[in-house]
Amino acid sequence: MLDNLRQDFINKTTQLVVVNRELEVVDSDNNLFDIDKNSNITDFHPFFFALTTIFDEDLQEETFFCVQMEVLGKHYFIDIKTYIGEGGDTLVLILNDLTDHYKTVHQIKQVRNESIINFNISQELNQQLEIQRSFKNKFLANVSHEIRTPLNSIVGFISVLENTEISREQLDVLHIIKDSSKNLVTILDDLMDISKIEAGKLDIKKRRFDFREFVEKLAKTYQIRTDDKRLSFDFELSSKIPRFLVGDHLRINQVIVNLLENALKYTHQGGIKFSVTTSSVNARRIPVTFEVTDTGIGIPKEKLDSIFDSFTQLEKRGLFGGSGLGLSIVKQLTDLLESDLEVKSVEGEGSTFSFTVFMGVSHNQKKEKVAKKKRDKKDLKGGKRPRILLGEDVEVNQLLMMRLFADYGAYSLDIAKNGERVIEYLDRFPYDLVILDLTMPVMDGLDAAVQIRNSSNKKVSKLPIIALTARTSQEEQDAAKEAGMNAYLTKPIDADLLFSTIERLLSRYKRKDKVLEISEEEE
Ligand code: ADP
């Protein structure tokens, strides 16, 4: 039986041919191909011309692998073995049909090559994307800086104007300008956030904070905003949530504000509900669920997936204002907070956005007593006012700071137009605090800060330093910290924040006689 099988297999795959030195066919079993006796084998296929060298060089045994032949329109892949016959005048050819085998190998190789090519292409594309992305991020940082600088004087002088005697009508117009400028700042912040998130530079900073106060403040703000729009506002804060939690309240705040702003924007009747709950008690880490529900215009089912894409606004909704960046940031921030953002919405009925963040429960649930001694402006007048030195090169910004300080009245302000001048002034006059713009000609703010910290005069080297800049990137903030600066404020200047920071630094400086790090401790 085996003999039959073997014979059958050999018949289907192998052909024996014998040729003489003239390459004429002496014999052939014609198992695969019809090759006539006495014909020249090169007539059957020109490949066989190669056999002459075998006779010439007397190669006793030879193999030609994977010879491709087209016979009667069909493609074959054949291995050909040759033996020189007895007497040396004939050549035995064993033709082995390996078409299926070679086709499979060929296919595998083809797939492999394609995958290598595809891999290279995708690497190339990734590199290009990375280059584009980093270009985009740098471009955004620069544009944002360039826009922030003039915006700084616009926002600043609006608050100066607000405190002058102007008519009711002028004040109304001023408020419109103020709101629009604030919107512009928000868009710039959003753009910077998106590029920071993309560049992986936005991380979560966990700190202990008064959670209940944080949520209650938010609710209070939106209670007023909804009242203004004649909408109802329901607020629920579960009593099971402890007062002091550990988490990134800035990022959580950003998510909630975006959701509440949208709810407000897209709701015209009914109201908004903001609830903060937990499903667990008495644990070291608890899940806190934030939910914003509105009875607004809702989102069509088929559009629910696309609302998280950057610059996506559902058509005809442009009239509501906004840039279409809010939800994209919300989605990326909730991802960073290791939370899932859920949306339920029925067109014409309303929407519910919710997310759950795990937060640590602080060991210490007691409120620290903050010795908030409000500086009495009157006491400080008459030569007692702390003296502040500002390094700032741009004239409108100098003017703005002069006005803000003059209006505030608690400090005296000197201005130097670059870092070198700052150092000169510090050598000549006593100061209590230094504010430095980071980008200045001759000597920039970072170099000036380093020089101050390296000063041999202890009164100078320990001065509190505030960076005041239009640059908002994390690198710049890290660089400022590295240079020994104690606080980082961004333009447009928020006058309240500026003066409260000065106040805080001055009281720490006086109390401890040394400069403290500004960043709060992580728990
Ligand atoms: P925008 O700046 O346009 O508000 P967002 O990214 O915040 O951008 O939202 C994207 C789109 O999702 C909005 O343009 C709006 O069409 C839709 N949307 C978001 N929140 C709501 C909501 N609470 N109710 C109805 N539609 C919403």
Side-chain angles (χ1 to χ4, degrees):
M1 181 195 172
L2 274 181
D3 280 346
N4 287 345
L5 286 173
R6 185 175 296 124
Q7 196 56 46
D8 201 32
F9 176 74
I10 288 172
N11 286 349
K12 277 185 190 148
T13 58
T14 316
Q15 177 162 351
L16 288 172
V17 183
V18 183
V19 294
N20 62 20
R21 279 182 175 269
E22 280 69 45
L23 304 186
E24 286 162 351
V25 179
V26 178
D27 205 353
S28 167
D29 64 16
N30 283 6
N31 273 347
L32 300 173
F33 310 113
D34 286 335
I35 303 175
D36 294 336
K37 266 190 207 168
N38 301 321
S39 68
N40 195 299
I41 194 160
T42 56
D43 291 341
F44 173 68
H45 201 280
F47 164 79
F48 292 102
F49 279 116
L51 300 180
T52 44
T53 50
I54 293 184
F55 281 115
D56 293 346
E57 293 176 23
D58 197 23
L59 302 171
Q60 290 298 314
E61 209 179 304
E62 197 51 47
T63 311
F64 299 89
F65 291 105
C66 194
V67 178
Q68 278 193 58
M69 282 185 190
E70 193 189 326
V71 181
L72 300 172
K74 200 178 159 199
H75 288 274
Y76 292 89
F77 293 92
I78 296 168
D79 281 2
I80 302 173
K81 264 188 180 329
T82 65
Y83 300 97
I84 295 203
E86 262 175 57
D89 283 335
T90 52
L91 193 64
V92 180
L93 312 175
I94 303 168
L95 279 50
N96 218 344
D97 179 11
L98 291 171
T99 307
D100 288 345
H101 164 75
Y102 281 119
K103 271 193 178 156
T104 318
V105 171
H106 183 76
Q107 253 173 13
I108 292 170
K109 276 196 178 159
Q110 179 90 354
V111 170
R112 207 174 136 250
N113 286 344
E114 273 172 17
S115 78
I116 290 173
I117 291 168
N118 285 341
F119 176 72
N120 287 340
I121 291 175
S122 79
Q123 258 197 338
E124 180 85 357
L125 277 177
N126 278 345
Q127 269 170 3
Q128 275 176 13
L129 270 179
E130 201 41 57
I131 292 169
Q132 279 173 8
R133 199 173 281 165
S134 102
F135 171 77
K136 186 184 77 188
N137 291 340
K138 272 191 205 135
F139 175 77
L140 277 179
N142 284 335
V143 169
S144 149
H145 175 251
E146 294 309 315
I147 299 176
R148 247 167 224 278
T149 308
L151 201 57
N152 180 42
S153 50
I154 298 173
V155 173
F157 280 112
I158 291 171
S159 35
V160 171
L161 259 184
E162 264 177 336
N163 294 327
T164 60
E165 273 185 27
I166 51 173
S167 70
R168 180 79 236 160
E169 200 186 341
Q170 285 169 327
L171 197 64
D172 287 346
V173 176
L174 204 61
H175 283 153
I176 297 172
I177 304 175
K178 193 175 179 179
D179 282 348
S180 306
S181 315
K182 275 193 177 158
N183 280 343
L184 204 51
V185 177
T186 313
I187 292 175
L188 283 180
D189 287 344
D190 283 356
L191 282 172
M192 282 311 290
D193 274 349
I194 289 256
S195 64
K196 273 189 209 162
I197 294 171
E198 273 188 6
K201 285 192 182 132
L202 199 124
D203 27 72
I204 293 299
K205 292 190 179 107
K206 291 182 180 161
R207 288 189 187 135
R208 173 179 185 269
F209 67 106
D210 189 334
F211 179 77
R212 300 188 74 85
E213 185 184 79
F214 158 79
V215 181
E216 275 159 5
K217 257 191 197 160
L218 263 171
K220 210 177 252 174
T221 307
Y222 283 89
Q223 174 74 62
I224 299 171
R225 303 277 309 274
T226 40
D227 281 354
D228 285 350
K229 228 183 146 180
R230 298 190 189 290
L231 296 172
S232 64
F233 186 76
D234 285 330
F235 170 54
E236 180 198 348
L237 170 58
S238 161
S239 57
K240 286 195 286 182
I241 303 176
R243 175 169 282 278
F244 288 95
L245 296 183
V246 178
D248 191 332
H249 65 286
L250 289 178
R251 297 300 163 203
I252 295 173
N253 181 63
Q254 208 175 351
V255 174
I256 301 172
V257 165
N258 262 304
L259 297 180
L260 284 168
E261 282 297 326
N262 276 348
L264 202 61
K265 187 156 60 174
Y266 298 108
T267 306
H268 311 296
Q269 55 191 19
I272 295 171
K273 182 168 186 226
F274 173 40
S275 70
V276 185
T277 51
T278 185
S279 56
S280 137
V281 267
N282 297 332
R284 295 285 312 126
R285 255 163 68 81
I286 56 166
V288 180
T289 302
F290 302 88
E291 194 171 87
V292 176
T293 303
D294 64 58
T295 55
I297 58 176
I299 301 162
K301 212 172 170 190
E302 68 279 7
K303 301 275 169 70
L304 270 178
D305 284 339
S306 62
I307 53 171
F308 298 111
D309 300 338
S310 297
F311 302 109
T312 292
Q313 290 186 298
L314 306 186
E315 65 268 50
K316 295 200 198 109
R317 290 183 173 195
L319 48 130
F320 293 105
S323 59
L325 282 173
L327 283 184
S328 156
I329 293 179
V330 163
K331 177 81 187 70
Q332 303 199 47
L333 284 177
T334 45
D335 283 352
L336 271 176
L337 290 163
E338 293 173 0
S339 165
D340 281 329
L341 181 66
E342 283 179 29
V343 196
K344 283 181 224 140
S345 189
V346 179
E347 199 175 3
E349 286 183 22
S351 320
T352 299
F353 288 79
S354 65
F355 66 102
T356 300
V357 184
F358 273 86
M359 281 195 269
V361 175
S362 176
H363 304 282
N364 177 8
Q365 287 296 325
K366 280 196 202 113
K367 212 175 169 134
E368 295 90 15
K369 279 190 197 124
V370 199
K372 265 204 173 162
K373 256 201 296 159
K374 260 262 167 255
R375 201 173 284 269
D376 187 346
K377 289 184 195 175
K378 273 177 230 142
D379 274 4
L380 291 162
K381 285 198 176 144
K384 274 189 188 164
R385 293 181 304 170
R387 212 166 155 176
I388 291 174
L389 178 61
L390 166 71
E392 168 68 70
D393 58 319
V394 181
E395 219 165 290
V396 279
N397 290 342
Q398 295 178 348
L399 219 65
L400 170 63
M401 289 292 269
M402 268 156 50
R403 276 307 296 256
L404 289 177
F405 273 82
D407 285 353
Y408 193 73
Y411 308 108
S412 82
L413 180 76
D414 288 349
I415 298 176
K417 65 177 179 188
N418 61 47
E420 210 170 74
R421 287 286 169 86
V422 167
I423 305 295
E424 277 170 32
Y425 281 29
L426 287 173
D427 277 346
R428 286 173 31 209
F429 311 107
Y431 287 99
D432 298 292
L433 184 141
V434 184
I435 303 173
L436 293 173
D437 178 27
L438 289 191
T439 27
M440 287 187 287
V442 189
M443 183 192 285
D444 67 19
L446 290 178
D447 285 346
V450 172
Q451 285 226 15
I452 294 172
R453 288 285 172 258
N454 290 336
S455 167
S456 52
N457 179 350
K458 267 199 171 173
K459 285 214 168 104
V460 172
S461 70
K462 289 189 171 178
L463 279 175
I465 309 175
I466 299 176
L468 187 59
T469 170
R471 300 214 164 259
T472 58
S473 76
Q474 189 60 45
E475 285 102 324
E476 301 276 343
Q477 292 191 35
D478 293 345
K481 209 172 173 188
E482 188 94 334
M485 296 170 119
N486 307 93
Y488 194 94
L489 300 182
T490 53
K491 295 172 182 176
I493 299 167
D494 176 336
D496 289 342
L497 186 64
L498 172 70
F499 291 118
S500 64
T501 308
I502 293 175
E503 181 89 21
R504 187 161 46 109
L505 283 181
L506 282 178
S507 64
R508 282 189 183 190
Y509 181 52
K510 289 250 164 65
R511 206 174 62 230
K512 304 227 173 177
D513 194 33
K514 67 172 190 176
V515 173
L516 294 179
E517 289 280 307
I518 278 307
S519 64
E520 288 150 50
E521 298 287 320
E522 273 190 24
E523 201 172 276

